[in-house]
């Protein structure tokens, strides 16, 4: 196996744990339990462990292999599958997860059979689509009917509650009104089945503003939070919330300089297409000092998602395995072998932690 030190993603586990604990505490003060969503960090078991140590109620992921890794790491918390199950995976869902989010009768039937075969009771949260238009029941009468079937008909399923997801496809804000709609659906179901639901799951990171601003509907008692713990950037940048109580630098991408030269800033010759078939705009700024580093779009996705920590350094372009930095105005002199550090966005955290070419280093 090739031994490489760079590119690497440094993950500050202590910061991660402190972020988990901070969100768990704020939510606990509002009577809300947190399932820590580990998909944003590709379910890295060391990170999943920090969710546990930070005090989450459970662990959640969209992907079964990440939940299995967490179990193998010795994490014995309720495991929640976030992505509505595929028919082809129901046996594994029941084997690995205590609970799943659901929206299809045919899948619930298969989950019930799988649970019967494994002598288990599988817990179900039914999803309501409140307008964001990804998963969930659109017809709420149908949802109430299916809820009563889970309650009465399928012996190896237990109806734990209801949930919703907002701010994913349709960019719909998790306002107090939207979450009141979810509570109203829960209460319709409770009336039908004659008992209280254990869980009313009000969404992910985009529902945290309700907690932080103090207008979360009382009966919401569960959230599934990933980004707001791993990065804590979206609520700051997009919602203008003060997130200074969180570490926004749990993840640092580091890459090595492989070439430093003065070159023209505008390509020389007949312009056609770049490595990805596009023709970007090139601004002519004359001759500039540039550093080439050994990391590229295959590793982190898009150059808009990475932010050099050095003042005066600008990311001007990239191909699959190379990134070009303008270092003309940098505060230090770059030479081959030097290391450059970047803060990265959620999408890039997902990519770099998924990439076997990027070393994972825990600090
Ligand atoms: C990914 C996901 C979450 C967590 O989203 P964050 O924005 O990372 O908090 C919650 N619920 C569902 C259904 C998801 O797919």
């Amino acid at each position: 196996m090739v031994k490489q030190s760079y590119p690497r993603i440094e993950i500050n586990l202590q910061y991660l744990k402190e972020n988990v604990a901070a969100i768990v505490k704020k939510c606990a003060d509002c009577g809300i339990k947190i399932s820590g969503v580990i998909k944003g960090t590709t379910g890295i078991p060391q990170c999943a462990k920090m969710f546990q140590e930070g005090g989450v109620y459970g662990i959640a992921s969209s992907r079964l292999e990440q939940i299995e890794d967490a179990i193998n790491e010795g994490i014995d918390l309720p495991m929640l599958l976030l992505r509505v199950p595929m028919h082809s995976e129901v046996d594994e869902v029941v084997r690995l997860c205590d609970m799943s989010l659901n929206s299809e009768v045919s899948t619930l039937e298969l989950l019930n059979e799988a649970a019967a075969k494994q002598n288990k009771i599988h817990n179900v949260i039914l999803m309501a689509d409140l307008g964001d238009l990804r998963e969930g029941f659109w017809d709420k009468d149908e949802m109430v009917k299916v809820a009563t079937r889970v309650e009465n008909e399928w012996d190896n399923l237990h109806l734990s509650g209801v949930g919703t997801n907002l701010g994913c496809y349709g960019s719909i804000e998790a306002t107090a009104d939207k979450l009141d709609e979810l509570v109203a659906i829960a209460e319709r179901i409770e009336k039908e089945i004659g008992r209280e639901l254990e869980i009313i799951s009000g969404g992910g990171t985009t529902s945290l503003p309700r907690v932080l601003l103090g207008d979360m509907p009382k009966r919401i008692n569960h959230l599934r939070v990933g980004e707001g713990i791993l990065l804590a950037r979206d609520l700051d940048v997009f919602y203008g919330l003060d997130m200074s109580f969180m570490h926004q630098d749990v993840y640092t991408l580091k890459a090595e300089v492989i070439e430093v030269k003065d070159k023209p800033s505008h390509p020389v010759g007949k312009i056609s297409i770049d490595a990805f078939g596009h023709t970007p705009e090139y601004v002519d700024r004359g001759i500039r000092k540039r550093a080439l580093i050994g990391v590229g779009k295959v590793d982190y996705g898009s150059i808009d998602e990475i932010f050099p920590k050095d003042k005066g350094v600008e990311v001007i372009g990239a191909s699959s395995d190379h990134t070009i930095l303008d270092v003309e105005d940098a505060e230090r002199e770059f030479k081959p072998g030097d290391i450059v550090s970047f803060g990265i966005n959620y999408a890039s955290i997902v990519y770099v932690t998924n990439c076997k070419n990027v070393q994972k280093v825990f600090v």
Side-chain angles (χ1 to χ4, degrees):
M1 212 174 95
V2 180
K3 272 210 186 116
Q4 283 193 300
S5 306
Y6 294 94
R8 61 166 61 175
I9 181 71
E10 290 187 356
I11 306 174
N12 189 318
L13 292 177
Q14 181 63 30
Y15 282 6
L16 177 55
K17 183 162 81 176
E18 287 171 17
N19 277 3
V20 174
I23 293 297
V24 165
K25 167 88 174 53
K26 294 235 181 237
C27 290
D29 290 347
C30 301
I32 292 173
K33 292 192 282 198
I34 296 295
S35 284
V37 176
I38 60 173
K39 71 186 183 204
T41 187
T42 315
I44 296 171
Q46 290 90 335
C47 295
K49 197 86 192 162
M50 292 305 108
F51 277 89
Q52 179 176 38
E53 289 182 17
V56 292
Y57 146 79
I59 296 287
S61 180
S62 46
R63 292 171 188 265
L64 288 171
E65 74 272 12
Q66 296 178 5
I67 286 179
E68 182 164 49
D69 285 350
I71 293 169
N72 291 340
E73 183 70 12
I75 299 174
D76 57 351
L77 299 174
M79 297 289 170
L80 167 65
L81 181 65
L82 292 173
R83 190 171 60 192
V84 170
M86 302 182 228
H87 282 192
S88 59
E89 65 184 359
V90 288
D91 288 326
E92 293 294 80
V93 174
V94 168
R95 181 172 73 84
L96 296 167
C97 306
D98 300 279
M99 196 181 290
S100 56
L101 306 181
N102 283 279
S103 62
E104 286 288 354
V105 166
S106 60
T107 309
L108 289 164
E109 283 169 342
L110 292 174
L111 279 171
N112 183 53
E113 283 170 26
K117 262 192 299 185
Q118 295 179 42
N119 263 320
K120 283 187 172 177
I121 302 289
H122 184 73
N123 297 300
V124 166
I125 294 180
L126 293 183
M127 293 297 276
D129 189 336
L130 300 181
D132 202 60
L133 307 184
R134 201 178 67 185
E135 76 277 48
F137 289 90
W138 184 248
D139 178 342
K140 306 307 175 310
D141 296 333
E142 182 197 357
M143 181 169 170
V144 173
K145 255 187 229 135
V146 174
T148 61
R149 293 185 68 188
V150 177
E151 178 74 4
N152 301 317
E153 195 172 311
W154 295 307
D155 291 342
N156 291 77
L157 299 183
H158 172 72
L159 181 66
S160 293
V162 295
T164 195
N165 199 60
L166 293 159
C168 271
Y169 169 72
S171 321
I172 295 301
E173 193 177 333
T175 55
D177 284 350
K178 276 288 166 199
L179 296 176
D180 277 333
E181 283 180 41
L182 181 66
V183 173
I185 295 165
E187 289 176 347
R188 270 187 70 188
I189 292 172
E190 289 175 336
K191 228 174 121 205
E192 287 295 319
I193 65 176
R195 68 171 175 90
E196 237 185 46
L197 293 170
E198 294 106 50
I199 293 180
I200 305 183
S201 187
T205 296
T206 55
S207 297
L208 279 179
R210 304 282 67 78
V211 172
L212 299 174
L213 298 173
D215 62 351
M216 180 64 97
K218 265 204 181 56
R219 289 216 53 202
I220 301 290
N221 61 7
H222 178 260
L223 292 177
R224 318 168 301 267
V225 181
E227 194 281 334
I229 288 170
L230 297 170
L231 187 61
R233 180 176 173 277
D234 287 1
L235 298 181
D236 179 335
V237 174
F238 302 116
Y239 291 81
L241 291 176
D242 178 11
M243 297 302 283
S244 58
F245 67 99
M246 300 287 283
H247 300 286
Q248 296 180 315
D249 52 355
V250 173
Y251 294 84
T252 307
L253 176 66
K254 294 192 173 176
E256 186 169 334
V257 176
I258 55 177
E259 178 189 296
V260 180
K261 294 195 188 302
D262 291 332
K263 292 191 186 181
S265 42
H266 194 277
V268 180
K270 180 168 178 279
I271 298 253
S272 63
I273 54 164
D274 72 4
F276 292 91
H278 305 298
T279 306
E281 291 284 311
Y282 301 95
V283 182
D284 192 350
R285 301 160 75 192
I287 302 284
R288 307 276 298 177
K289 186 176 289 299
R290 306 150 6 119
L292 201 57
I293 56 176
V295 68
K297 289 187 188 173
V298 163
D299 304 297
Y300 57 71
S302 154
I303 60 169
D304 300 329
E305 308 281 330
I306 66 172
F307 312 97
K309 300 237 175 183
D310 282 281
K311 280 217 189 76
V313 171
E314 199 185 325
V315 184
I316 58 173
S319 56
S320 301
D321 309 301
H322 298 78
T323 301
I324 306 163
L325 307 177
D326 183 310
V327 297
E328 180 75 30
D329 304 323
E331 289 178 350
R332 61 175 166 135
E333 202 61 42
F334 284 94
K335 53 186 190 315
D338 285 353
I339 304 303
V340 193
S341 297
F342 300 84
I344 61 176
N345 262 356
Y346 183 79
S348 285
I349 295 174
V350 180
Y351 292 136
V352 298
T353 52
N354 238 312
C355 189
K356 78 170 199 269
N357 177 51
V358 179
Q359 311 307 311
K360 296 176 190 78
V361 179
F362 301 101
V363 297

